Amino acid sequence: MASRQPSLKSRFLLGLLVPVSCLAIAVAVGGSLVISHVVEVTHDRLLKGSLLAIAERLAVEDGEVTVDLPRVALGMLETQSDDSIFYKVSVDGQTVTGYNDLPMPKSAALEPERPMFWDDSYRGNAVRIAAVSRHVYGIAKPVLVAVAETEHARDQLWREMIRELALAEIVLLAVIALLTWIAVERGLGPLAQLKRQIDRRGISGSKDFQPLDLHMVPKEALAPAQAINELLDRVSFATQILRQFTADASHQMRTPLAALRTHLDLLKRRLAGSSEVTEMVMEVDAQVVRLDRMISQLLTLARADEDALVRSPAEKISLVAKAKQVLALRAQAAATRNIELQLEVEQEEMFVEANELLVDEILGNVIDNAIRYGPAGGVVIARLYRNGDTGVVDIEDDGPGIPPAERQKVFERFYRIARPDAPDGSGLGLAIVRVLLDRMGGSIELGEGKCRGGLRVTMRFRLT
């Protein structure tokens, strides 16, 4: 399994979001401590207010401590959580009023007039207790006053504040993640634009050796982009040399071939009476014709690879009219082998925007193959129909066909199926058709004939 390529975007996002997440966790921990402190201080103030309200109403009558318990003293502790409130007033360990079993600190542990707070448990509930020691005129020993409150309201308030803090952090992290994503997208935008420029110069598409536009490329990516420009420049130079060689080769090779064919024609006329010599001359003539065809196909393939055909001026071409013309030009070759050419058209109005020589070469190669590989006395059928915005051309013969395992291999250059009775060929025809259709944005596929078996070649063209 191929290893997954690292992503700059993922690295940037992790590099930014991981520290932010750690900071958010630290804020959450610190926030929870602050919330706990705020809740405790807030409720302790109320508890202290209730405690001091009771302590202020202490009095001594006939040597006995009395308390005029004010309603407001316990009312200020009432909450929506229905907390229970307990109180106790005692002197020297003896309860004056309140809950007798309410925990109380030792008087020695209390500083006079200074409230003391602690957490405890009372009657199965967690409580917060506040106590104060106060000297009352008329009695020697200090009076201890304590007020206790269950912690339901404190816990509820703590949970609500923690929930609000968590929600705020989640929203904040989501916003930060979104803004970080947008920032990374914008930051990597020049690299995405550079990728699109490189993709447009891909091998599968038309060849464009123009240098990449580097004015928006960040300096971190400038070195590889400049290296690509240098490579494009070298490839462009090599392509120009190849194009010049192709042009020179076409002239240098075709001229002697034309002269050779002329001399062979003259020789055949002079040796018309000698059957043995004439047979040898005919064999040489056939090989010269084959060589001439191969050179023509190689030149066409080279021009297609260089986009020379595709970049030449395009025009609006009727696909049906062109198919009729190509079939008419090959009628003599078909008649020589007693092959019947048929044309079936479902719709006349189908136009493509392309170079005429390009369409000629595509249709001509496929029909030539059908005539050459079909049996003598057979039929070649050309069907044209429309499928949405695509024009489809089916060329079907009743020859031996191509096995499914070989149908992709025959598009390779110089590949030929080994058959004892196969006619001479170069193995370039279908390779040329595929290259030219790819350059036009079309496609080709091979299948079995619908009516007579054999081979069916389906070509699709983009219609205008």
Side-chain angles (χ1 to χ4, degrees):
M1 181 181 294
S3 60
R4 188 176 178 182
Q5 292 300 112
S7 169
L8 281 177
K9 186 182 298 183
S10 300
R11 290 185 177 184
F12 287 158
L13 289 175
L14 287 176
L16 291 171
L17 292 181
V18 169
V20 170
S21 299
C22 294
L23 180 61
I25 293 173
V27 171
V29 173
S32 63
L33 295 177
V34 171
I35 288 173
S36 298
H37 178 71
V38 169
V39 170
E40 182 176 291
V41 169
T42 302
H43 281 263
D44 281 356
R45 285 182 178 179
L46 294 175
L47 197 61
K48 179 181 178 181
S50 177
L51 177 69
L52 295 180
I54 295 174
E56 291 295 331
R57 305 303 293 270
L58 294 176
V60 177
E61 295 181 1
D62 299 330
E64 297 287 337
V65 176
T66 61
V67 181
D68 182 11
L69 191 64
R71 183 176 180 82
V72 70
L74 302 180
M76 67 176 62
L77 297 177
E78 292 181 357
T79 64
Q80 294 181 353
S81 300
D82 295 328
D83 274 319
S84 299
I85 303 168
F86 312 95
Y87 66 96
K88 181 178 180 180
V89 178
S90 65
V91 179
D92 195 21
Q94 299 296 319
T95 301
V96 176
T97 184
Y99 294 84
N100 188 51
D101 56 345
L102 185 67
M104 295 286 285
K106 295 181 179 180
S107 58
L110 289 173
E111 297 182 18
E113 305 297 335
R114 187 168 184 178
M116 175 182 178
F117 298 88
W118 76 96
D119 294 314
D120 211 325
S121 178
Y122 181 63
R123 297 187 179 183
N125 294 310
V127 294
R128 180 74 169 171
I129 303 176
V132 67
S133 172
R134 173 161 291 191
H135 289 281
V136 181
Y137 180 76
I139 188 170
K141 293 186 177 180
V143 180
L144 299 183
V145 181
V147 177
E149 178 189 27
T150 55
E151 299 184 356
H152 302 309
R154 293 171 183 253
D155 294 341
Q156 181 179 353
L157 179 60
W158 183 85
R159 286 193 296 270
E160 289 178 356
M161 294 183 71
I162 289 293
R163 186 166 53 249
E164 294 295 332
L165 175 62
L167 180 61
E169 287 213 352
I170 291 174
V171 172
L172 181 61
L173 283 175
V175 172
I176 291 175
L178 178 61
L179 295 178
T180 301
W181 177 269
I182 294 174
V184 171
E185 283 284 345
R186 294 187 63 182
L188 295 179
L191 293 182
Q193 183 180 3
L194 181 64
K195 177 183 179 299
R196 287 191 293 270
Q197 291 189 64
I198 296 174
D199 289 342
R200 286 197 294 268
R201 292 158 174 80
I203 296 176
S204 59
S206 60
K207 294 178 176 59
D208 181 6
F209 300 122
Q210 293 297 318
L212 301 174
D213 185 3
L214 304 183
H215 75 280
M216 290 295 292
V217 177
K219 61 181 181 180
E220 291 80 5
L222 195 57
Q226 289 174 338
I228 291 175
N229 273 349
E230 293 177 4
L231 178 61
L232 287 173
D233 185 61
R234 295 175 185 175
V235 173
S236 177
F237 179 72
T239 303
Q240 290 176 3
I241 294 177
L242 178 61
R243 186 179 296 116
Q244 186 63 42
F245 169 78
T246 302
D248 293 342
S250 64
H251 292 291
Q252 296 297 327
M253 296 178 71
R254 282 191 165 183
T255 300
L257 275 176
L260 182 59
R261 293 191 66 178
T262 301
H263 289 299
L264 281 173
D265 288 339
L266 294 174
L267 185 60
K268 283 189 292 184
R269 294 176 185 177
R270 290 188 179 184
L271 300 177
S274 175
S275 59
E276 182 178 355
V277 177
T278 302
E279 184 178 349
M280 295 174 59
V281 172
M282 294 295 291
E283 177 64 22
V284 173
D285 184 60
Q287 295 302 321
V288 170
V289 172
R290 180 186 175 190
L291 179 60
D292 187 38
R293 175 178 171 78
M294 183 183 295
I295 291 174
S296 297
Q297 288 183 323
L298 284 172
L299 292 176
T300 300
L301 192 58
R303 292 176 65 197
D305 284 339
E306 299 166 11
D307 288 342
L309 284 175
V310 179
R311 292 187 178 184
S312 54
E315 54 187 303
K316 192 173 183 180
I317 301 171
S318 171
L319 205 55
V320 175
K322 180 53 64 178
K324 291 178 180 178
Q325 180 184 356
V326 172
L327 287 172
L329 291 174
R330 279 140 181 94
Q332 182 61 42
T336 302
R337 304 193 65 229
N338 196 25
I339 292 177
E340 181 184 356
L341 299 181
Q342 296 181 6
L343 177 63
E344 299 177 4
V345 179
E346 292 185 5
Q347 184 174 345
E348 292 283 347
E349 297 297 326
M350 290 192 295
F351 294 94
V352 294
E353 191 79 21
N355 177 264
E356 186 174 2
L357 294 177
L358 192 69
V359 182
D360 275 335
E361 197 69 33
I362 291 172
L363 298 179
N365 271 285
V366 178
I367 295 174
D368 282 342
N369 281 350
I371 295 173
R372 285 162 53 84
Y373 289 92
V379 178
V380 174
I381 305 173
R383 299 186 185 91
L384 283 80
Y385 58 93
R386 187 182 189 120
N387 183 8
D389 59 352
T390 302
V392 182
V393 179
D394 278 348
I395 307 296
E396 181 179 338
D397 60 52
D398 52 0
I402 297 177
E406 304 277 350
R407 288 175 186 168
Q408 287 303 315
K409 295 180 181 179
V410 294
F411 291 112
E412 299 175 6
R413 301 175 185 187
F414 302 105
Y415 181 84
R416 301 189 70 231
I417 300 175
R419 285 176 177 159
D421 56 345
D424 291 335
S426 61
L428 290 172
L430 289 177
I432 292 173
V433 172
R434 188 172 197 174
V435 169
L436 295 180
L437 279 172
D438 285 345
R439 298 293 186 264
M440 288 180 59
S443 65
I444 180 174
E445 63 182 32
L446 306 181
E448 188 175 348
K450 296 179 180 179
C451 300
R452 299 173 175 267
L455 180 67
R456 175 170 51 88
V457 181
T458 301
M459 295 169 286
R460 293 178 173 85
F461 297 81
R462 288 188 301 181
L463 300 179
T464 57

